[in-house]
Amino acid sequence: MATYLLEVGTEELPASFVAEALAQWQDRIPPSLQEQNLYYSHIAVYGTPRRLAVVVEGLPAQQPDQVQEIKGPAVASAYSQGEPTKALLGFLRSKGLQLSDLYTQTTDKGEFVFAKQKISGKATREILPPLAASWILKLEGKRLMRWGNRELKFPRPIRWLVSLWDEEVLPLQLEDITADRITYGHRVLSKGAIVLSHAKDYTEALRENGVLVDGQERERQIVGQMQQLADLMGATVESPPELLAEVVNLVEFPTAIVGEFDPAFLQLPPQVITTEMIAHQRYFPLWDRQQPNRLLPFFITISNGDPSKSKLIAQGNGRVIRARLADGKFFYDTDRQVPLETYVPQLKKVTFQEQLGSVGEKVERLRRIVQLVFAAIPNVEPMREITDRAAYLCKADLVTQMVKEFPELQGIMGADYALHSGEHPLVAQAIREHYQPRGANDELPQSLPGQVLAIADRLDTLVGIFGLGIIPTGSSDPFALRRAAQGIVQICWHYGLQLNLPQVLKDTIGVYTNLPKGASEIYQNLLQWFQQRCETLLQEKIDYDLVDAVLGVGDPDYTEWSLSNLAEVKGRAEFLQRSRRNQTLHSIYAVVNRASRLAQQGDIPTNAKSLESLVKVDKLQEEAEIKLYQALHQLPPKPQNYEELVTAIAQVAPQLANFFDEVLVMVDDPAIRANRLGLLGYIRNYSRQLADFNAIRSV
Amino acid sequence: MDFQSVILTLQNYWSDRGCLIAQPYDMEKGAGTMNPHTFLRAIGPAPWCVAYVEPCRRPTDGRYGENPNRLQHYYQFQVLLKPSPDDVLEQYLQSLKVLGIDPADHDIRFVEDDWESPTLGAWGVGWEVWLDGMEVTQFTYFQQAGGIDCRPVSVEITYGLERLAMYLQGVNSIFDIVWRGDVTYGQVHHRNEVEQSYYNFGNKGQNNQRLFQLFQEYEAEAQEQIKAELPLPAFDYVLKCSHTFNLLDARGVISVTERTRYIARIRNLARQVAKLYLESSSTG
């Protein structure tokens, strides 16, 4: 059993590529060895900014031998009077076989001559080099480059290759770069070229030369060192997972170092400081453990330098953050010299979308849309003035210097500047919150003006872009319309906002003038878009058929009705799921479902809500239908909640069952038939306050 | 080390490594890359090694001399090596050492930073070099210039001279950098920063219309020289276009949509110049 080491030495690779490359190798190398019938005991992939490596242990010296069955000529043409024919002799010669190797076997085409031939496995050391070359050359990265005079392409220049089979160099060549047993350690912690005598020495030899080749080990080191430093300072480390993942692949030998800056900069909003640290410097911010909202004037940087030089390195980093914060302070002070509202007119120069005009025009629309949103939510007390003011100011920070420099601070700066300009705190809060949720797991706006403005902003974008006929497909969603619609739904669900979506969509379409697509096309497409978003969100917790039953798949009228109270969509879905679980759905499912299907066949309109409009008392003939009518008459027309609705239906269920047993619905007399269908239609329509029972599969 | 010693040290260092020490090009430009010593020489097969100081103008970075870290006019030290040598990173690290920054004492990082110039139709792959967290150099392997594949590939090293000098002198404001003796960078350039900022942002009623006209005139001039098959004079007017566009951009009078179109107009000229330059050098 032997060990194979492949190392690709490079100039500094992008951190994201190191992670991607190792994942690709992890996926591809095992099957590529298996295809060659090469089995091993262990495989490990390693990567740092300057190298990608794989170590395969327990490889056999050669592939296992294989026995192959070869088919020769038909027996009839192989022998003539017991003697081998020319055809058979030719076959033997070409395969290097003897007469004694042969046997005959019957196939569906007759009797044939066969032989078993042993194929000796090739030496592993011959198989590996071309495989290794393909592992390297098949790596995919977002941007490949050439260097020098070569044709070769890789994310950064390849400077050396190591290809070692235990103690032996296996030949491997990429253009003029030839594999050897020489690798290089850390740029400053290593003494120079490292000659590897054995493939197994790899990780230890590099450790001695200041390189931890295993990313997981570096991550453990970083996390542990940061924790130690934080403990010493009574601090909590803010460690976003993406930042940690990146930093792991920016260093070969991590040392966590604390740097500091002038506490005077803490006057800046903490997000300005942490954005500078995280996005620009890859520093980890430190927060006060006692007062969790208090940022400390310290940070942690993960150095790749010599640990003994940490003091000097900390000083350098401290100066950099000071310069950056001074820059930020300059923007902050300049921006605050005038009230936030003075920036609003400049929004006319900022394009929202080429065909949809400027952000200034968007703001004008938003002021109208927030009022429409309030009008479409019956269960809240509108806060019209605050929200109008917030709508007017919500994009003003886009033209401030700070947000031009740090676009990710949009909303956050607007809120800060609004407060400084003496705006109402709720206006400021709404400005900050209207971008939320920024993603699937982000916080939602807490204030009502923030919620309404968030909804309005997304409605405006959705209507505008759909109005241009740009409907996202598959992974292409450049305006993040999926997220926009989902955000509206999440806000309404979380806060129980009974938004009448169809109404507000129609009204918002009316706010736009000159959209290339017609109003009804935009409306239909958007309704479907929202239905799909609700579906996706519901399917996380609700059975598929119940989701369909709540949203009315294939029944546009029901969908429209369903979405006319967005909060209840979720309420109804969760109620159905509970009812299915505790069996209460069972008590009404069968009869209601049957009534629904019959009513469907009878063309009973789904919008008829009163019993009187569907059933004429003087046409009731049989006792069972009279009893059903009386029972239906007792149903509370507007049940307080879904429990009451289900209990009420459960109470008429026996009469309904009896009706199905005793009464023939499809009689010849059209008036009687219509009357009986009307009874069923009423049940169906009544139950549709909860769900479209036609869509429910079984209980 | 004073400011001019930084320049002299780098010149000597790269001169010793076989570079031609060239002089700045006499036209406004946003980066040393736009000097024909880099932009045009990166095209075509002929080897080329050059180093020079380049004054750069970025009108939108004007801060009226009030920001200690930002200038609308500053200096780059530019090195172009073609084809890119295999030990270029080691050569670079050695150059820091001669400046008095021993890499062994610091945290030096090569952080992914690919470069793209939409106006020049050029892109490359490389890093920004961080010295204890401070960006001091841009490193780029040119892959395309003027829409033409660079074969062989050149490597461009761009030192931020002010950043390096601030670091070496331990000062917190650009204007406090000692240029030589008792003359500071502020004495040399502060007034220019103030006046040019007013001009760049058009705060004194500057005539934007004239700038728009100039852009058109420069564009026409470039086009005519392309027709006359004179890529070098044509390139001068591409630079003029680029700088005029940058001024208009700083004035905030170009909308996002128009901006894309202006960039496309300049790129179109740059591509034609690059193509013409390559063709005429291979035949001539």
Side-chain angles (χ1 to χ4, degrees), chain A residues 502-554:
Chain A
Q503 181 192 322
V504 82
L505 283 177
K506 284 180 190 157
D507 292 345
T508 306
I509 294 167
V511 169
Y512 266 98
T513 48
N514 303 328
L515 284 176
K517 297 287 170 186
S520 94
E521 182 184 347
I522 303 172
Y523 173 72
Q524 294 302 338
N525 285 336
L526 275 172
L527 209 57
Q528 204 192 346
W529 187 251
F530 271 96
Q531 184 205 19
Q532 290 162 353
R533 303 287 73 74
C534 288
E535 233 176 272
T536 313
L537 287 169
L538 285 176
Q539 278 167 357
E540 289 168 12
K541 286 184 182 151
I542 310 287
D543 297 345
Y544 282 43
D545 62 320
L546 298 182
V547 172
D548 287 354
V550 166
L551 291 168
V553 169

Side-chain angles (χ1 to χ4, degrees), chain A residues 14-159:
Chain A
S16 60
F17 176 75
V18 175
E20 285 163 25
L22 296 186
Q24 290 173 37
W25 272 7
Q26 197 85 260
D27 277 354
R28 295 175 188 173
I29 294 180
S32 111
L33 289 167
Q34 275 152 27
E35 260 172 43
Q36 300 293 329
N37 286 314
L38 289 177
Y39 297 92
Y40 51 84
S41 57
H42 188 257
I43 186 165
V45 294
Y46 301 117
T48 77
R50 289 183 73 203
R51 66 201 78 232
L52 300 172
V54 55
V55 177
V56 189
E57 290 170 12
L59 279 165
Q62 56 181 45
Q63 288 174 314
D65 294 341
Q66 280 179 308
V67 176
Q68 198 179 21
E69 189 169 63
I70 318 172
K71 189 174 157 197
V75 171
S77 57
Y79 299 95
S80 161
Q81 296 165 344
E83 290 299 311
T85 60
K86 275 189 175 171
L88 182 62
L89 293 172
F91 168 71
L92 291 174
R93 210 168 31 245
S94 72
K95 302 288 176 190
L97 295 165
Q98 307 292 321
L99 265 175
S100 55
D101 297 331
L102 297 177
Y103 56 98
T104 63
Q105 210 169 308
T106 313
T107 73
D108 48 5
K109 290 191 178 132
E111 245 190 326
F112 279 80
V113 169
F114 283 86
K116 287 214 165 92
Q117 192 174 33
K118 189 179 130 190
I119 298 174
S120 320
K122 275 206 267 178
T124 310
R125 43 194 289 295
E126 284 168 28
I127 298 169
L128 283 171
L131 274 190
S134 77
W135 297 338
I136 299 168
L137 297 175
K138 283 188 180 157
L139 282 174
E140 293 155 42
K142 69 174 195 276
R143 195 165 239 185
L144 304 182
M145 62 168 286
R146 289 200 179 88
W147 62 97
N149 281 306
R150 300 178 182 85
E151 289 297 319
L152 205 56
K153 281 186 159 188
F154 207 66
R156 288 294 183 277
I158 297 175
R159 290 307 180 204

Side-chain angles (χ1 to χ4, degrees), chain B residues 121-168:
Chain B
W123 67 276
V125 169
W127 308 274
E128 43 183 55
V129 183
W130 287 11
L131 168 63
D132 298 337
M134 178 168 62
E135 183 196 341
V136 289
T137 304
Q138 278 280 340
F139 230 98
T140 308
Y141 287 94
F142 281 132
Q143 303 296 303
Q144 265 199 351
I148 295 168
D149 275 345
C150 298
R151 309 295 291 275
V153 169
S154 314
V155 63
E156 176 197 57
I157 305 171
T158 305
Y159 299 81
L161 288 173
E162 289 85 356
R163 290 273 183 86
L164 279 169
M166 282 171 79
Y167 192 91
L168 288 166

Side-chain angles (χ1 to χ4, degrees), chain A residues 543-546 549 575-594 597 646 649 690-699:
Chain A
D543 297 345
Y544 282 43
D545 62 320
L546 298 182
F575 177 78
L576 281 176
Q577 189 70 50
R578 272 202 308 279
S579 306
R580 171 169 279 171
R581 240 175 255 137
N582 65 23
Q583 307 280 313
T584 46
L585 194 57
H586 187 75
S587 62
I588 64 165
Y589 167 75
V591 282
V592 175
N593 192 287
R594 193 167 166 193
R597 268 187 253 146
V646 170
I649 297 176
L690 175 59
D692 174 7
F693 274 73
N694 276 330
I696 301 182
R697 299 284 169 251
S698 68
V699 185

Side-chain angles (χ1 to χ4, degrees), chain A residues 11-12 14 142 145-146 148-151 156 159 187 281 302 304 309 317 319 323 327 354 405, chain B residues 67 69-70 84 86 89-90 105 107 109 112 114 125-127 132-133 141 143 151-153 166 257:
Chain A
E11 292 182 1
E12 276 73 354
K142 69 174 195 276
M145 62 168 286
R146 289 200 179 88
N149 281 306
R150 300 178 182 85
E151 289 297 319
R156 288 294 183 277
R159 290 307 180 204
R187 279 202 190 276
Q281 294 297 132
I302 306 302
N304 191 40
K309 313 285 181 179
N317 280 284
R319 283 177 51 194
D327 223 19
E354 198 173 323
E405 192 70 13
Chain B
N67 184 312
N69 298 296
R70 215 181 273 241
S84 66
D86 285 357
L89 287 189
E90 287 71 24
D105 292 339
D107 177 18
R109 224 81 76 70
E112 171 190 15
D114 295 342
V125 169
W127 308 274
D132 298 337
Y141 287 94
Q143 303 296 303
R151 309 295 291 275
V153 169
M166 282 171 79
T257 325

